Amino acid sequence: MISTPALVAPSAGAAFEARTVEHRDLRDDDVLIDIKFAGICHSDIHQVREEWGSAHFPMVPGHEIAGIVSAVGDGVTKYKVGDRVGVGCMVDSCGECEFCKDGEEQFCSKGAVMTYNGKGYDGEQTKGGYAQQVVVSERFAVGIPDGIELDVAAPLLCAGITVWSPLKRWGAGPGKKVAVIGLGGLGHMAVKLAAAMGAEVSVLSRSDAKKDDGLALGAAAYHATGDEGVLKSLKGTFDIIINTVSADLPMQTYIGLLRPLGVIANVGLPAGNYDFAPGAVVGGSRVVAGSNIGGIPATAEMLAFCAEHGIGATIEKISADEVDAAYDRVVAGDVRYRFVIDTATINA
Ligand code: NAP
Ligand code: ZN
């Protein structure tokens, strides 16, 4: 077994504790990664606080992992010791079904193995990136291009790919008006990526507090949705809306902001339901869509695009003892724009 210091949530909602956890010895196709940085995704908070139903504890969250390969299994061909790699939300899939063959491993018919709060096909509970090391199959490690520093690369492995997928699928680019609801971890990446794709981007945030940032990230316009009348004035405006909000939202109102044939792609995962009348989508033939992370080939494509365009996440780097407070700040919408844990500070 491989022992590594990690941040462990002992039970739902409890404070983190630094402990030593164990990973399997390397299988033929495994790489051992020395984790340098791990992003804090709102999904970590939903799971640690059991907002999506019961979870497995003790839990080591973290699916925005960036580090360096420090050992390889006998059969590994993709990587060598010293390579810079990332790991996102998945660490295994069957590799044989139509979706795996298409590089859409998140839809694996057998069920993709999630990086943490999941069970591997061997029955072992998976442990994520709030740690100094992780063991994964080389198939689920993605090379990080030299042009992107590891700290700003980590959030690309979830926040980046999650918004990349719907932007690509629904054709964000020149001549398209894209709105991003919620300027947090996913939202700020959506603004950067959509702007680099050539779309005209608008931020829809609750207040004016992040206005200067939103425009600096690449948005052409910024609207504070708390102001009465703002949403009314935007009716019928956008081709694509990416909804990244982690809480409930008046969906019918936001559908109304779409042009005919427009699409609202939901990536936010609040615990409750959205509410809208059939007429809201039938009139204008509008689409209400969802989008779930992205496959390994798309993740590599997104990282190459980020390197080419000089894009990394905008981060606040924190130490291990600041994670509990960081969770509260994320929930309060007070993060500029992703917390990234320096894993060297985990003292177990
Ligand atoms: P985040 O950093 O907390 O950003 C969410 C943003 O939503 C906040 O910055 C805030 O933006 C807005 N918001 C928060 N509470 C709100 C409220 N009560 N009403 C209106 N707006 C509110 O979270 P994240 O890490 O980007 O994740 C966002 C959501 O996506 C989470 O639910 C997460 O689980 C989910 N997620 C889904 C996938 C997927 O594959 N689909 C992948 C990763 C994460 P403003 O302050 O600008 O209004
Ligand atoms: Zn995530």
Side-chain angles (χ1 to χ4, degrees):
M1 293 292 233
I2 292 162
S3 299
T4 190
L7 279 183
V8 177
S11 59
F16 280 98
E17 292 173 10
R19 291 189 196 165
T20 298
V21 301
E22 296 197 321
H23 281 283
R24 62 176 180 260
D25 289 323
L26 298 195
R27 298 175 186 148
D28 272 3
D29 66 334
D30 279 340
V31 293
L32 175 64
I33 300 169
D34 286 353
I35 301 172
K36 300 299 179 192
F37 298 101
I40 294 179
C41 178
H42 206 120
S43 300
D44 302 348
I45 302 172
H46 288 312
Q47 290 174 86
V48 166
R49 296 186 175 176
E50 285 196 327
E51 291 166 359
W52 292 344
S54 72
H56 301 287
F57 295 96
M59 186 194 298
V60 181
H63 58 209
E64 295 188 334
I65 299 171
I68 311 267
V69 174
S70 59
V72 296
D74 291 341
V76 167
T77 56
K78 249 173 104 178
Y79 300 109
K80 58 182 186 324
V81 170
D83 283 349
R84 308 161 83 247
V85 293
V87 177
C89 298
M90 300 176 283
V91 288
D92 207 358
S93 73
C94 82
E96 286 163 6
C97 71
E98 57 173 314
F99 298 106
C100 287
K101 284 188 173 147
D102 272 357
E104 300 276 15
E105 297 88 351
Q106 69 277 26
F107 307 134
C108 173
S109 305
K110 190 174 170 184
V113 176
M114 295 294 113
T115 303
Y116 68 87
N117 191 26
K119 275 214 161 70
Y121 296 147
D122 58 4
E124 290 295 314
Q125 191 179 322
T126 53
K127 300 175 200 87
Y130 297 8
Q132 289 180 352
Q133 291 183 310
V134 69
V135 174
V136 296
S137 160
E138 63 170 339
R139 293 182 293 121
F140 287 86
V142 191
I144 295 175
D146 282 339
I148 315 176
E149 296 297 330
L150 291 181
D151 51 0
V152 300
L156 302 178
L157 275 297
C158 174
I161 182 61
T162 297
V163 296
W164 170 267
S165 298
L167 289 170
K168 291 294 274 189
R169 175 171 179 196
W170 299 105
K176 290 288 166 73
K177 289 189 172 185
V178 174
V180 176
I181 317 176
L183 198 60
L186 269 56
H188 95 288
M189 286 311 310
V191 172
K192 289 189 188 200
L193 291 172
M197 289 171 184
E200 184 185 318
V201 184
S202 297
V203 173
L204 306 180
S205 181
R206 288 169 292 178
S207 74
D208 260 334
K210 304 170 187 172
K211 182 168 186 176
D212 291 346
D213 289 347
L215 298 175
L217 291 166
Y222 182 105
H223 303 283
T225 55
D227 282 2
E228 223 172 290
V230 163
L231 291 178
K232 248 187 202 154
S233 72
L234 293 171
K235 271 180 102 167
T237 302
F238 303 108
D239 299 290
I240 303 164
I241 299 176
I242 307 290
N243 171 24
T244 75
V245 174
S246 50
D248 191 22
L249 204 70
M251 187 52 58
Q252 174 129 344
T253 303
Y254 282 93
I255 292 170
L257 307 193
L258 292 170
R259 287 157 52 90
L261 301 174
V263 56
I264 179 164
N266 294 289
V267 291
L269 279 167
N273 295 338
Y274 293 132
D275 190 27
F276 60 91
V281 284
V282 171
S285 298
R286 298 181 173 95
V287 180
V288 176
S291 195
N292 183 23
I293 51 175
I296 298 299
T299 304
E301 192 191 334
M302 177 271 307
L303 287 171
F305 179 91
C306 287
E308 186 188 333
H309 291 268
I311 293 173
T314 299
I315 63 167
E316 293 190 49
K317 212 182 289 184
I318 59 168
S319 56
D321 58 7
E322 295 175 293
V323 172
D324 291 312
Y327 270 34
D328 292 335
R329 281 188 54 200
V330 171
V331 172
D334 174 28
V335 49
R336 307 264 192 295
Y337 280 86
R338 198 56 138 186
F339 287 115
V340 169
I341 305 164
D342 177 351
T343 58
T345 61
I346 303 172
N347 292 313

